[in-house]
Amino acid sequence: MRRVYLDHSATTPVDPRVVEALLPFLTAKFGNPSSVHFYGQEARAAVDRARREVAGLVGARPNEIVFTSGGTEANNLAVRGHCEQAADQGRHVITTAIEHSSVRGICEALERRDWEVTRLPVYGDGVVRVEDVRAALRPDTVLVTVMLANNEVGTVQPVAEIAALVRELREAGQKHLRLHTDAVQAAAGMRVDVDELGCDLLSLSAHKLYAPKGVGALYVRRGVRLAPQNIGGHQERERRGGTESVPLIVAFGEAARLTRVELEERTRRIRSLRERFETGVESRVADIVYNGDRARRLPGVSNISFRFIEGEGLLINLDMQGVAVSTGSACSSGSLEPSPVIRALGRDDELARGSIRFSLGKDTTEEEIDYVLEVLPRAVENLRRLSPLYQKAVGSRQYALRSGS
Amino acid sequence: MRRVYLDHSATTPVDPRVVEALLPFLTAKFGNPSSVHFYGQEARAAVDRARREVAGLVGARPNEIVFTSGGTEANNLAVRGHCEQAADQGRHVITTAIEHSSVRGICEALERRDWEVTRLPVYGDGVVRVEDVRAALRPDTVLVTVMLANNEVGTVQPVAEIAALVRELREAGQKHLRLHTDAVQAAAGMRVDVDELGCDLLSLSAHKLYAPKGVGALYVRRGVRLAPQNIGGHQERERRGGTESVPLIVAFGEAARLTRVELEERTRRIRSLRERFETGVESRVADIVYNGDRARRLPGVSNISFRFIEGEGLLINLDMQGVAVSTGSACSSGSLEPSPVIRALGRDDELARGSIRFSLGKDTTEEEIDYVLEVLPRAVENLRRLSPLYQKAVGSRQYALRSGS
Amino acid sequence: MKVKLTFSTEALPTAIRLLPTILSVAYSDTFKEHLANPRNAGTLEGADAEVEQSNPVCGDRLRLALRVRGRRIEAARFLAYGCPPTLACGSALAWMLEGMTLDEAARLTRAEIAEAAGGLPPRKQHAAALAYETLQESLTLLRT
Amino acid sequence: MKVKLTFSTEALPTAIRLLPTILSVAYSDTFKEHLANPRNAGTLEGADAEVEQSNPVCGDRLRLALRVRGRRIEAARFLAYGCPPTLACGSALAWMLEGMTLDEAARLTRAEIAEAAGGLPPRKQHAAALAYETLQESLTLLRT
Ligand SMILES: Cc1ncc(COP(=O)(O)O)c(C=O)c1O
Ligand SMILES: Cc1ncc(COP(=O)(O)O)c(C=O)c1O
């Protein structure tokens, strides 16, 4: 069957060059980086090389990079690691209504331990307002965590502007206030530079960058201390215990290097393919609503609500024709609730349930887009014909037409 | 250069069959198991298959297996996950003086949060006494954590007997008391069965079983609840968030299957090679002391203290001749302190510093052992000639000889 | 005929033209067949009962139209909005009902509907419940 | 000659016969050369000073034996117990000292010893410190 993968926000295929880079570290170069002997030193050197590449991707110094088992662990380490560390200075966290389930989950866990959490709205465009952050900041705020780009609608948040506020307060004496940003999605689609952003902590995940699942990193600005979460061993300068996954870290390093080198060209290609896609959908399917600001958005993401039908039905119908997309966050698509992110945009239940995320990748082709443009309208139409909501709407439109004529 | 790897307790090379099993999950089968579409379901099915294999290795049910990023995280999840959960029932933990740095580290972190930790001695043989456990158990004890086999000296602990004590108390009403065992080392060298052991929680790490670093598992007996540590997403039935590392999990599954099938033959081979090794060392090198009970011991581990010299010097000298071994725990070999495990056996500083762990693997050959038997005595002798301790001892022996004659 | 349709159509998708599905893990062949080729979809000219029920929790909707001759269901059509199990249960229900007597229909259970849809995962049983309630409501309407 | 040797030997390992080392990451070539072929190892017949110092924290030991003619160090030998940097610093020190005047030896710094050993990682600087103190102690002994 013809297969078209338009779910790059959920995960990406591993770049063949990345596979090639990691393979020797499964076989001949299998040492444990903590070992003193040849095998260990060889592995240690590879981890350090990868650390330099990952640091280079975000403009950090190598010793500011802590490797983790993924974006989720990076978020856990950032938010809990800092909050445990700063609990004596205050117990208030500012976040947004559209964070990834990991940040959302940790914030809920903090609330159960008597922390206060302020969740900022994102309005109809899926973008947090800097003034809202300003208004939410308090003397006992120790952490602001705002994702750099959202995983469902791709909207980019004003992190640098928020950093300016945080810096102001810190200079005014609120020394323990830190800014964390989840850049897991952003890194694949825009330039990310920790100094331009001005953040203290920044999360990355390799599997959104054409490397394998199971490795990520937390950027920890020099001087920022965290309570370690995964304890044991001296790895990662005592900030994260556990034998390093050398092959995955090497893969991450190579993927970071390729992303740095190719980012501009990738985003140019992807953006023009998305334009082809969206123009095509608009001309073929009626009653659609885009979710999230279309300008301030990652280049590869197109999130569309199809009126009258339900996302999972459309997803499965597309899947039966070989087209892979997602509805809601990949992580919660097994659950029944409509996506909290789409809800945060103020969409009603029906539109929230009818949202589909198409996410393009660096290897998406024009032909693939055209194939999707061929099968998507038919799938929507067929589901709408089954839908009582559609029948009602069509009926009342016909009625409106008749009574208006 | 000829290379002989005798550091399988630190990590193992990945079995080619395991590499073959995981490769498709880097390339064509790259889906995110949380995705509803084809790619996701394919990945989900692979994770479930691997879960059955890992469960099968330890006689557990598949839904009792939680995949983690390694043995360290499994230990963190077990000890902290249970202690956070049970904190209202008591704040006392029993452990041993020879646990891996992860369990040791978590216990120290608990102490900083006002938990009490009892560390049981292991005497000269490196084995915990069941009566000591009995004596240490208190009404407010909520966790006993005793490793199944030690990573430095390979001694096997009486976990099943300890489980009987724990069960007794639990049946007498101490409902929240649980038994955790770190079987990371044990799984490679002995049959591990959760029901025979009677433990509630059991940690595994793939990279000791000829699979890659960066994946492990925690067995969680049905009915045992844990506070999740890595939060986010619905993965692992809400017990461990984060996108699953499908390729590593698949690799772990295959490695678990191979271990189950081949364990008996592997241990037979390894044990006989170790015998060849130890007999050879005894006949060629004087002034050595074995560390840890030689009967109750994993088949592949031989930990020997060489009098008058220091482990790191010997390690590096062996390394310069292509022989990879370790001194102290792989994880702390970068630090200056003598191994806490060897110290726990009651060895003086000199013997503790002079300890070297030789750990054999399934692919170790007779020729490799013979090569080590050729270079090791020379390396020991050369270092001894440089050693003022040796010169003194030789001098006083000669003196004793002279005065005795 | 108790519910007034505000639109008229019998132009129905007799089959959503879909390639063989791959949801092998989550769903059975029968289920996939109901999704790929929904049975008895649409509305019904001259229906004796037309009932639309919705699940207030998740918003799923099922509309069932029945035409009865004597005590026998001569024609049954459905429309559905919701997750795939709701579509499959609607299809399975309408398809089973055609030709049944009203007594037979009254004896149908939730489990039988779920089974006819090809089986449902535990978390999707609410779809069969919605179909069951829609059927019961229709039968009640026919009795009044 | 101030310290009595309780054993006599001049049979010394002039070289620990080792293949080229691979510790490229941790240590320099010079360091590895000192490990593979320690210079001036052993004890000394007719030494004018023989001093053994130890690091009480980690237990490292260094013994230095010097034979002096006029104000010049005619021969220097070392023995060492401890981690590789201690062995390398002992080797480097004894090798440097031979031929030096006592005044030159007195001006040697810790950093120069570490450098002669091929450089040490930050966490291993104590090895150079031990060598330095052993030298100072020896010079003091020679002065008394
Ligand atoms: C915005 C965002 N943060 C965090 C994560 C979690 O990263 P990982 O899948 O590596 O755990 C994801 C992806 O799942 C994400 O999209
Ligand atoms: C006994 C023991 N427990 C736990 C671990 C940690 O496992 P991992 O290296 O996968 O973090 C190790 C190995 O390093 C070990 O030997």
Side-chain angles (χ1 to χ4, degrees):
Chain A
M1 186 192 331
R2 164 130 215 191
R3 297 216 162 271
V4 178
Y5 187 77
L6 289 190
D7 201 10
H8 291 82
S9 298
T11 196
T12 56
V14 184
D15 189 300
R17 295 168 293 181
V18 170
V19 175
E20 207 177 302
L22 82 80
L23 266 184
F25 293 89
L26 288 178
T27 51
K29 304 181 177 189
F30 64 85
N32 183 331
S34 294
S35 296
V36 177
H37 50 63
F38 170 75
Y39 295 89
Q41 297 304 317
E42 180 179 60
R44 162 73 47 221
V47 168
D48 286 344
R49 257 194 322 274
R51 197 186 304 281
R52 285 193 293 275
E53 291 297 350
V54 172
L57 177 65
V58 297
R61 299 183 198 89
N63 62 11
E64 292 174 320
I65 297 297
V66 177
F67 285 117
T68 67
S69 67
T72 296
E73 191 190 330
N75 284 339
N76 273 262
L77 178 56
V79 178
R80 288 199 305 175
H82 173 61
C83 286
E84 282 181 16
Q85 173 75 21
D88 290 343
Q89 269 70 38
R91 297 171 78 88
H92 178 238
V93 173
I94 297 173
T95 183
T96 78
I98 58 165
E99 296 299 310
H100 183 259
S101 55
S102 49
V103 170
R104 197 163 63 233
I106 304 157
C107 286
E108 286 162 8
L110 286 172
E111 284 178 313
R112 286 192 295 273
R113 294 191 199 168
D114 294 326
W115 283 69
E116 257 186 275
V117 176
T118 302
R119 289 177 186 79
L120 301 177
V122 296
Y123 305 94
D125 58 5
V127 179
V128 157
R129 300 294 182 267
V130 180
E131 313 86 71
D132 285 349
V133 178
R134 190 194 301 276
L137 279 162
R138 312 190 320 207
D140 64 340
T141 309
V142 296
L143 182 70
V144 179
T145 173
V146 173
M147 69 197 326
L148 185 51
N150 178 264
N151 46 308
E152 287 191 51
V153 296
T155 49
V156 177
Q157 308 301 319
V159 171
E161 291 87 329
I162 294 169
L165 290 184
V166 166
R167 204 174 314 117
E168 236 172 68
L169 279 186
R170 200 150 54 202
E171 280 163 12
Q174 203 164 327
K175 290 217 165 20
H176 297 275
L177 180 61
R178 302 284 180 208
L179 176 61
H180 167 245
T181 190
D182 173 351
V184 166
Q185 292 290 338
M190 60 187 272
R191 208 176 112 79
V192 174
D193 184 289
V194 292
D195 287 329
E196 285 171 17
L197 291 171
C199 57
D200 301 298
L201 300 155
L202 181 141
S203 303
L204 294 170
S205 179
H207 75 95
K208 316 286 189 186
L209 302 171
Y210 307 93
K213 287 164 265 297
V215 62
L218 182 66
Y219 157 78
V220 183
R221 187 176 289 279
R222 202 207 296 240
V224 173
R225 284 169 42 127
L226 298 177
Q229 299 296 309
N230 209 45
I231 296 175
H234 297 290
Q235 294 93 351
E236 302 295 306
R237 315 168 110 234
E238 319 259 328
R239 292 176 297 190
R240 199 272 183 187
T243 301
E244 300 90 335
S245 183
V246 183
L248 294 196
I249 286 172
V250 166
F252 190 9
E254 178 65 2
R257 191 183 70 77
L258 292 170
T259 302
R260 180 171 52 73
V261 172
E262 299 175 358
L263 182 70
E264 222 173 298
E265 199 229 307
R266 288 183 192 175
T267 54
R268 198 173 335 104
R269 274 200 69 248
I270 290 175
R271 183 174 284 114
S272 96
L273 283 176
R274 181 181 64 181
E275 205 157 305
R276 184 187 189 89
F277 172 71
E278 293 190 337
T279 311
V281 173
E282 286 163 25
S283 71
R284 287 170 178 80
V285 185
D287 292 314
I288 63 169
V289 178
Y290 287 100
N291 295 307
D293 192 276
R294 293 182 65 190
R296 286 199 68 147
R297 188 168 58 143
L298 290 178
V301 181
S302 185
N303 192 306
I304 301 178
S305 284
F306 296 85
R307 271 192 205 284
F308 313 124
I309 62 176
E310 198 263 353
E312 200 178 336
L314 181 52
L315 185 160
I316 290 183
N317 276 309
L318 289 174
D319 185 42
M320 291 197 274
Q321 297 174 85
V323 177
V325 299
S326 88
T327 173
S329 162
C331 300
S332 59
S333 61
S335 76
L336 279 171
E337 310 95 49
S339 151
V341 173
I342 310 292
R343 292 300 300 276
L345 302 180
R347 302 279 180 248
D348 62 35
D349 271 7
E350 188 201 322
L351 280 179
R353 285 194 77 182
S355 83
I356 291 280
R357 176 184 69 189
F358 304 85
S359 48
L360 287 60
K362 73 182 179 69
D363 301 316
T364 304
T365 64
E366 237 173 59
E367 291 68 39
E368 290 181 331
I369 295 296
D370 292 346
Y371 176 70
V372 176
L373 287 174
E374 188 190 319
V375 302
L376 172 68
R378 257 193 346 247
V380 172
E381 195 189 343
N382 287 338
L383 283 168
R384 282 183 174 167
R385 284 200 192 147
L386 275 186
S387 166
L389 301 176
Y390 183 64
Q391 302 288 19
K392 261 176 216 156
V394 168
S396 55
R397 269 186 224 173
Q398 286 181 341
Y399 177 81
L401 227 64
R402 241 181 288 137
S403 58
S405 69
Chain B
M1 189 193 325
R2 164 132 217 191
R3 297 215 162 274
V4 178
Y5 186 78
L6 289 190
D7 201 10
H8 292 83
S9 298
T11 196
T12 56
V14 184
D15 190 300
R17 296 167 293 181
V18 170
V19 175
E20 206 177 301
L22 82 80
L23 266 184
F25 293 88
L26 288 177
T27 52
K29 305 181 176 189
F30 63 85
N32 183 329
S34 293
S35 297
V36 177
H37 50 63
F38 170 75
Y39 294 89
Q41 297 304 317
E42 180 179 59
R44 163 72 48 221
V47 168
D48 287 343
R49 256 193 323 274
R51 197 184 304 280
R52 284 194 292 276
E53 291 296 351
V54 172
L57 177 63
V58 296
R61 300 184 197 88
N63 61 11
E64 293 174 320
I65 297 297
V66 177
F67 284 118
T68 67
S69 67
T72 296
E73 191 190 330
N75 283 341
N76 273 262
L77 178 56
V79 177
R80 289 200 303 177
H82 173 62
C83 286
E84 283 182 16
Q85 172 77 22
D88 290 344
Q89 269 70 39
R91 296 171 80 87
H92 179 239
V93 172
I94 296 172
T95 182
T96 79
I98 58 165
E99 295 300 309
H100 182 258
S101 55
S102 49
V103 169
R104 198 165 61 233
I106 305 158
C107 287
E108 285 163 7
L110 286 172
E111 284 178 312
R112 286 193 294 273
R113 294 189 199 169
D114 294 326
W115 282 70
E116 256 187 276
V117 176
T118 301
R119 289 176 187 79
L120 301 177
V122 295
Y123 304 92
D125 58 4
V127 179
V128 157
R129 301 291 182 267
V130 180
E131 312 86 73
D132 286 348
V133 178
R134 190 195 301 276
L137 280 162
R138 312 190 320 208
D140 63 340
T141 309
V142 295
L143 181 71
V144 178
T145 173
V146 172
M147 69 199 325
L148 186 51
N150 178 264
N151 45 307
E152 286 191 51
V153 294
T155 48
V156 177
Q157 308 300 321
V159 171
E161 291 86 331
I162 295 169
L165 288 185
V166 166
R167 205 175 312 115
E168 234 173 68
L169 279 186
R170 199 151 56 202
E171 279 163 13
Q174 201 163 328
K175 289 215 166 22
H176 298 275
L177 180 62
R178 303 284 181 208
L179 175 62
H180 167 244
T181 189
D182 174 349
V184 165
Q185 292 290 340
M190 59 185 272
R191 209 175 111 80
V192 174
D193 184 289
V194 292
D195 287 330
E196 285 170 18
L197 290 171
C199 57
D200 302 297
L201 300 154
L202 180 142
S203 302
L204 294 171
S205 179
H207 75 94
K208 315 288 188 184
L209 302 171
Y210 307 93
K213 287 164 267 297
V215 63
L218 182 66
Y219 157 78
V220 183
R221 187 174 290 278
R222 202 207 296 241
V224 173
R225 284 170 43 127
L226 298 176
Q229 300 295 310
N230 209 45
I231 297 176
H234 297 289
Q235 294 93 351
E236 301 296 306
R237 315 169 111 234
E238 320 257 329
R239 293 177 294 189
R240 199 272 182 185
T243 302
E244 300 89 336
S245 184
V246 183
L248 294 197
I249 287 172
V250 166
F252 190 8
E254 178 65 0
R257 190 183 70 76
L258 292 170
T259 303
R260 180 172 50 74
V261 172
E262 298 175 1
L263 183 70
E264 223 172 299
E265 199 230 308
R266 287 183 192 175
T267 53
R268 199 172 334 104
R269 272 199 71 248
I270 290 175
R271 184 175 283 115
S272 95
L273 284 176
R274 182 181 61 180
E275 206 158 304
R276 183 186 189 88
F277 172 71
E278 294 190 337
T279 311
V281 173
E282 285 162 25
S283 70
R284 287 170 178 79
V285 185
D287 293 313
I288 63 170
V289 178
Y290 287 101
N291 295 307
D293 191 277
R294 292 181 68 188
R296 286 199 68 149
R297 189 169 58 144
L298 291 178
V301 180
S302 184
N303 192 307
I304 301 178
S305 285
F306 296 86
R307 270 192 207 283
F308 313 123
I309 63 175
E310 198 262 353
E312 200 177 336
L314 182 52
L315 185 159
I316 290 183
N317 276 310
L318 288 174
D319 185 43
M320 292 196 274
Q321 297 176 83
V323 177
V325 300
S326 87
T327 172
S329 162
C331 298
S332 60
S333 61
S335 76
L336 278 172
E337 310 94 49
S339 150
V341 173
I342 309 293
R343 294 300 300 274
L345 300 181
R347 301 279 178 249
D348 62 37
D349 271 8
E350 189 202 321
L351 280 178
R353 284 193 80 183
S355 83
I356 291 279
R357 177 185 67 190
F358 304 85
S359 48
L360 286 60
K362 71 182 179 69
D363 301 317
T364 303
T365 64
E366 236 172 62
E367 291 68 39
E368 290 180 333
I369 294 297
D370 291 346
Y371 177 69
V372 176
L373 287 175
E374 186 190 319
V375 303
L376 173 67
R378 252 188 354 241
V380 172
E381 195 188 342
N382 288 338
L383 282 168
R384 283 184 174 166
R385 286 203 192 146
L386 274 186
S387 165
L389 302 177
Y390 183 64
Q391 301 287 22
K392 262 176 218 156
V394 168
S396 54
R397 269 185 224 171
Q398 288 182 338
Y399 178 79
L401 227 63
R402 240 182 290 141
S403 58
S405 68
Chain C
M1 166 69 196
K2 310 289 158 82
V3 172
K4 185 134 177 44
L5 289 179
T6 53
F7 63 99
S8 78
T9 172
E10 262 195 307
L12 291 170
T14 48
I16 300 186
R17 286 177 300 112
L18 298 170
L19 300 169
T21 173
I22 320 292
L23 299 170
S24 45
V25 180
Y27 299 120
S28 69
D29 284 345
T30 307
F31 183 94
K32 289 179 276 176
E33 173 61 18
H34 277 293
L35 277 190
N37 301 299
R39 310 294 203 270
N40 302 45
T43 54
L44 203 55
E45 290 282 315
D48 296 297
E50 179 149 0
V51 160
E52 185 173 315
Q53 291 278 307
S54 73
N55 178 332
V57 178
C58 66
D60 284 358
R61 283 162 182 277
L62 182 62
R63 186 189 292 195
L64 184 65
L66 301 178
R67 198 166 60 213
V68 180
R69 286 298 165 266
R71 302 277 304 157
R72 197 169 287 278
I73 297 171
E74 192 191 58
R77 295 288 181 276
F78 84 101
L79 290 175
Y81 166 84
C83 58
T86 301
L87 310 188
C89 285
S91 168
L93 176 65
W95 180 66
M96 288 164 85
L97 285 175
E98 255 184 27
M100 271 192 182
T101 65
L102 291 178
D103 290 343
E104 286 167 344
R107 283 197 298 270
L108 269 182
T109 65
R110 241 183 309 211
E112 284 168 326
I113 299 170
E115 202 197 311
L120 299 177
R123 291 165 58 216
K124 298 289 193 179
Q125 292 296 333
H126 64 281
L130 177 62
Y132 176 79
E133 277 157 36
T134 309
L135 169 62
Q136 291 302 320
E137 201 57 40
S138 305
L139 296 175
T140 305
L141 198 63
L142 286 169
R143 273 185 223 112
T144 56
Chain D
M1 166 68 196
K2 313 287 158 81
V3 172
K4 186 136 177 42
L5 290 179
T6 52
F7 63 98
S8 80
T9 170
E10 260 192 311
L12 291 168
T14 50
I16 299 187
R17 285 178 301 112
L18 298 168
L19 300 169
T21 172
I22 320 292
L23 299 169
S24 46
V25 180
Y27 298 119
S28 69
D29 284 343
T30 307
F31 183 93
K32 290 179 276 175
E33 173 61 19
H34 277 295
L35 277 190
N37 301 301
R39 308 295 201 270
N40 301 47
T43 53
L44 203 55
E45 290 281 314
D48 296 296
E50 178 148 1
V51 160
E52 186 173 316
Q53 291 278 304
S54 72
N55 178 332
V57 178
C58 65
D60 284 358
R61 284 164 182 275
L62 182 63
R63 185 190 293 196
L64 184 66
L66 302 179
R67 198 166 59 212
V68 181
R69 284 298 166 266
R71 303 276 306 155
R72 198 169 288 277
I73 297 170
E74 191 191 58
R77 294 287 182 277
F78 84 102
L79 290 175
Y81 166 84
C83 57
T86 301
L87 309 189
C89 285
S91 169
L93 176 65
W95 179 65
M96 288 165 85
L97 285 176
E98 257 185 26
M100 270 193 184
T101 66
L102 291 178
D103 291 342
E104 285 166 346
R107 283 197 298 271
L108 269 182
T109 65
R110 240 184 309 213
E112 284 167 325
I113 299 170
E115 203 197 311
L120 299 177
R123 291 164 57 215
K124 299 289 195 178
Q125 292 297 332
H126 65 280
L130 177 62
Y132 176 79
E133 278 157 35
T134 309
L135 169 61
Q136 292 302 319
E137 202 58 40
S138 305
L139 296 174
T140 305
L141 199 61
L142 286 169
R143 274 183 223 114
T144 57

